[in-house]
């Protein structure tokens, strides 16, 4: 047990940057620290005893941002004896000892493969009054036994693999997260079951490339089997996954999605570019024809599927004709939403030193045309849902204007964002509950439902949200989840164009 003063536990704060993988790693960091006796600092607390930065190396200027933030903390730490600062995540994996050379007031640097060492490193740094830097080159096995402090009562992330065996030329993930390590199916299903037992309704299976899941133990159909096995878990209402990869996507996954009732008909399938030449330069080994072939098979099996994507504009060497091909694929695929990124150099990636880097204004102009094209399609697709009944899992923090409009917000089964009027049920619907309502208006990025809800189902997740509790999953081999008091999680900053 670690204490700041006699009897008072040390407080911690985790600041998260980057992708969903990092957000989930932060849940594990919080779980580990709480197991070691730390308590989460109140949001207004400007002097927690431990501040952990979970960093991202994908965004441009990520290092400037980190060193800027570390600089701000220096005087805070000087006034607060005993305060410790730890830096983990992809940037720590990349910069290693440089971090303590540039910011000697940092106490601990830990990598993406050794999150589990953090409490011991903090203790050691305090005891030795010297910085501890521990970076492992690779994982031996997937770390299934780390406890996790969940941020939600109704939805949970479950890692199925870490790392990636691909070598996309714009991506830093392979060099920082290493080769793919698959988690054992039994461990994954135990964690999903533990979450469902604690009242969680929705689980998202998480991996850099979920379709190659099984590569380590020689079963290329392992992911489809995992989806089907999730279908047998009592109480689990929604199963999602991210991210698939068009190269490894197999038809059995489509069948598993269509035939397993709790698997949602939503698919986030990264396109990146519609041009085969650009895909080749990106070292993405599928071509647009294969991509569109998968989309049409998904639509044939699940006509209600919502398909979303990631697209990078302005990759080195992209011509106007290449870009036009991307617009063609966007029109044909009819995405319900797209994350669009302007290409910018990521130090350490092969694409950063390629010829044919495009001027900023060319990239900006194409980006604006892409957004206009995407919005035209997403809006048209959303309009098709006006008059339809949707099942909404009520969420926290999805509707910025809810307070002003008197609505609540959540996600439909296909992943679309729905803002709905609560009518006479105002005050009785809680985050984590399920509402059925009719869509009355469509915008490019959301749906509104302004009639009275048709039905409201109170859930155990809603009870827990009302009581201010979130599930904790100890390492799945260690036991069942317990329930702890939550604090609002800091919103992740930035985003990740890794796919
Ligand atoms: S973009 Fe995705 S598939 Fe490609 S190397 Fe990065 S993590 Fe792997």
């Amino acid at each position: 047990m670690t204490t700041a003063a006699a009897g008072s536990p040390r407080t911690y704060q985790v600041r998260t940057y980057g992708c969903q993988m990092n957000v989930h790693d932060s849940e594990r960091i919080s779980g580990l620290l709480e197991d070691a006796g730390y308590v989460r600092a109140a949001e207004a607390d400007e002097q927690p005893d431990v501040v952990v930065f979970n960093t991202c190396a994908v965004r441009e200027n990520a290092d400037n941002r980190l060193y800027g933030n570390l600089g701000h903390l220096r005087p805070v730490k000087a006034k607060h004896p005993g305060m410790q600062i730890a830096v983990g995540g992809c940037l720590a994996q990349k910069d290693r000892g440089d971090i303590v050379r540039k910011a000697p007031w940092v106490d601990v640097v830990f990598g993406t493969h050794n999150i589990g060492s953090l409490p011991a490193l903090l203790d050691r740094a305090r005891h030795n009054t010297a910085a501890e830097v521990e970076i492992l080159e690779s994982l031996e096995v997937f770390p299934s036994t780390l406890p996790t402090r969940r941020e939600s009562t109704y939805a949970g992330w479950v890692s199925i693999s870490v790392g990636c065996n691909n070598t996309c030329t714009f991506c830093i993930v392979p060099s920082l997260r290493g080769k793919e390590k698959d988690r054992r199916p039994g461990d994954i299903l135990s964690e999903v079951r533990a979450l469902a037992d604690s009242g969680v309704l929705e689980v998202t299976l998480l991996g850099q490339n979920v379709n190659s899941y099984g590569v380590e133990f020689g079963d290329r159909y392992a992911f489809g089997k995992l989806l089907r096995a999730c279908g047998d878990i009592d109480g689990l209402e929604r199963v999602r996954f991210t991210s698939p990869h068009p190269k490894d996507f197999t038809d059995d996954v489509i069948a598993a999605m269509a035939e397993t009732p709790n698997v949602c008909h939503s698919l986030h399938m990264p396109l990146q570019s519609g041009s085969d030449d650009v895909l080749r330069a990106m070292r993405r080994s599928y071509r647009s024809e294969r991509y569109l072939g998968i989309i049409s098979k998904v639509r044939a099996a699940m006509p209600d599927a919502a398909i979303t994507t990631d697209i990078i504009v302005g990759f080195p060497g992209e011509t106007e004709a290449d870009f036009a091909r991307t617009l063609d694929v966007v029109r044909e695929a009819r995405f319900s939403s797209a994350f669009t990124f302007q290409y910018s150099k990521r130090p350490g990636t092969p694409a950063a030193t390629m010829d044919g880097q495009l001027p900023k204004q060319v990239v900006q102009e194409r980006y604006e045309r892409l957004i206009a094209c995407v919005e035209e399609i997403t809006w048209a697709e959303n309009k098709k849902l006006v008059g339809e009944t949707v099942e909404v899992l009520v969420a926290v923090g999805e509707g910025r204007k809810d307070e002003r409009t008197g609505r609540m917000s959540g996600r439909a089964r296909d992943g679309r964002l729905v803002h709905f009027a609560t009518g006479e049920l105002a005050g009785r619907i809680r985050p984590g509950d399920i509402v059925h309502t009719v869509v009355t208006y469509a915008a490019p990025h959301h749906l509104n439902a302004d009639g009275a809800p048709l039905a409201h189902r109170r859930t155990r997740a809603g009870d827990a949200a009302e009581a201010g509790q979130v599930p904790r999953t100890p390492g799945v081999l260690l036991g069942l989840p317990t329930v702890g008091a939550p604090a609002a999680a800091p919103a992740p900053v930035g985003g990740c164009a890794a796919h």
Side-chain angles (χ1 to χ4, degrees):
M1 175 81 172
T2 337
T3 52
S8 60
R10 284 171 68 77
T11 58
Y12 77 92
Q13 191 180 75
V14 183
R15 301 189 189 173
T16 308
Y17 300 83
C19 65
Q20 197 50 55
M21 198 60 92
N22 265 17
V23 175
H24 183 47
D25 280 350
S26 289
E27 291 187 326
R28 301 181 121 199
I29 290 169
S30 299
L32 277 161
L33 291 175
E34 292 189 12
D35 264 24
Y38 294 82
V39 297
R40 183 176 290 204
E43 225 174 316
D45 186 350
E46 285 169 6
Q47 292 194 344
D49 297 313
V50 172
V51 177
V52 183
F53 288 90
N54 190 11
T55 63
C56 166
V58 171
R59 301 290 287 196
E60 213 180 2
N61 292 326
D63 19 8
N64 289 346
R65 193 137 45 110
L66 172 68
Y67 291 110
N69 287 329
L70 290 174
H72 287 143
L73 271 190
R74 189 181 193 174
V76 180
K77 184 172 171 180
K79 279 198 231 126
H80 181 34
M83 182 180 188
Q84 290 183 293
I85 300 171
V87 181
C90 290
L91 207 52
Q93 187 77 23
K94 181 165 146 294
D95 282 6
R96 304 165 178 233
D98 283 353
I99 293 178
V100 283
R101 268 191 292 282
K102 289 188 194 161
W105 57 97
V106 167
D107 298 274
V108 170
V109 178
F110 62 107
T112 51
H113 303 305
N114 56 324
I115 286 177
S117 315
L118 177 61
L121 292 172
L122 286 168
D123 283 349
R124 247 182 7 230
R126 202 167 39 246
H127 182 262
N128 298 340
T129 55
E132 291 284 333
V133 178
E134 185 183 291
I135 306 281
L136 297 188
E137 284 309 326
S138 60
L139 274 176
E140 292 300 311
V141 288
F142 186 98
S144 235
T145 50
L146 299 186
T148 305
R149 183 197 194 284
R150 304 281 170 177
E151 300 300 347
S152 160
T153 62
Y154 52 85
W157 300 90
V158 174
S159 287
I160 67 166
S161 61
V162 288
C164 181
N165 293 348
N166 291 320
T167 52
C168 301
T169 51
F170 55 81
C171 182
I172 194 84
V173 166
S175 64
L176 298 182
R177 296 260 174 180
K179 289 274 175 220
E180 177 172 329
K181 283 284 163 199
D182 292 335
R183 194 176 182 188
R184 288 187 6 219
D187 288 353
I188 297 169
L189 292 169
S190 303
E191 186 172 345
V192 175
R193 217 170 279 121
L195 283 169
D197 285 347
S198 71
V200 165
L201 301 171
E202 176 175 306
V203 158
T204 303
L205 304 175
L206 191 60
Q208 300 289 354
N209 173 4
V210 293
N211 296 114
S212 57
Y213 175 70
V215 63
E216 260 202 295
F217 49 88
D219 182 357
R220 63 189 296 248
Y221 298 114
F223 184 63
K225 291 179 192 165
L226 198 59
L227 288 179
R228 288 185 193 273
C230 285
D232 294 331
I233 294 179
D234 282 345
L236 185 62
E237 300 192 15
R238 294 180 173 197
V239 179
R240 303 187 189 283
F241 56 88
T242 198
S243 289
H245 195 300
K247 167 173 79 83
D248 298 309
F249 201 89
T250 45
D251 290 352
D252 62 297
V253 172
I254 301 176
M257 287 177 74
E259 291 163 17
T260 312
N262 64 1
V263 176
C264 293
H265 292 179
S266 66
L267 184 66
H268 182 75
M269 181 69 96
L271 168 66
Q272 305 307 10
S273 172
S275 154
D276 290 351
D277 287 342
V278 174
L279 287 172
R280 211 170 282 120
M282 288 176 165
R283 230 182 278 145
R284 307 257 310 168
S285 60
Y286 56 92
R287 300 292 167 253
S288 54
E289 193 182 339
R290 170 168 168 82
Y291 185 94
L292 288 168
I294 296 171
I295 302 293
S296 66
K297 281 187 207 164
V298 170
R299 295 224 186 272
M302 293 167 281
D304 58 344
I307 299 170
T308 58
T309 198
D310 296 332
I311 300 169
I312 297 172
V313 185
F315 190 77
E318 182 190 76
T319 63
E320 183 56 33
D322 292 322
F323 176 64
R325 199 51 206 124
T326 296
L327 295 181
D328 290 344
V329 175
V330 167
R331 288 190 196 100
E332 202 169 329
R334 305 210 64 77
F335 297 115
S336 62
S337 156
F339 296 96
T340 46
F341 302 93
Q342 299 190 22
Y343 175 78
S344 62
K345 288 185 188 177
R346 301 288 184 266
T349 60
T353 52
M354 280 181 180
D355 293 339
Q357 306 281 335
L358 299 182
K360 167 78 182 151
Q361 72 271 22
V362 172
V363 180
Q364 180 70 31
E365 189 271 334
R366 286 183 193 163
Y367 178 73
E368 284 164 19
R369 273 191 286 153
L370 175 66
I371 295 215
C373 175
V374 165
E375 287 201 347
E376 187 186 315
I377 285 156
T378 59
W379 200 1
E381 290 299 298
N382 279 355
K383 280 179 188 164
K384 291 180 186 164
L385 292 170
V386 173
E388 298 284 324
T389 299
V390 285
E391 178 204 90
V392 183
L393 172 53
V394 184
V396 186
E398 292 262 45
R400 273 182 297 119
K401 299 186 199 153
D402 282 354
E403 226 163 273
R404 186 152 46 79
T405 58
R407 297 190 185 107
M408 292 182 87
S409 300
R411 296 276 163 180
R413 285 194 74 82
D414 67 3
R416 284 182 164 93
L417 177 61
V418 183
H419 305 300
F420 64 93
T422 49
E424 294 187 348
L425 295 168
R428 306 221 321 262
I429 303 175
R430 298 94 36 96
D433 283 352
I434 296 280
V435 163
H436 287 83
T437 187
V438 176
V439 176
T440 52
Y441 169 81
H445 302 289
H446 68 266
L447 303 171
N448 287 353
D450 279 333
L454 302 178
H456 166 219
R457 174 156 54 90
R458 292 170 71 87
T459 65
R460 283 200 294 140
D463 295 343
E466 195 170 13
Q469 297 172 326
V470 288
R472 298 189 75 243
T473 40
V476 291
L477 304 179
L478 306 179
L480 290 171
T482 53
V483 168
V493 189
C496 176
H499 276 270

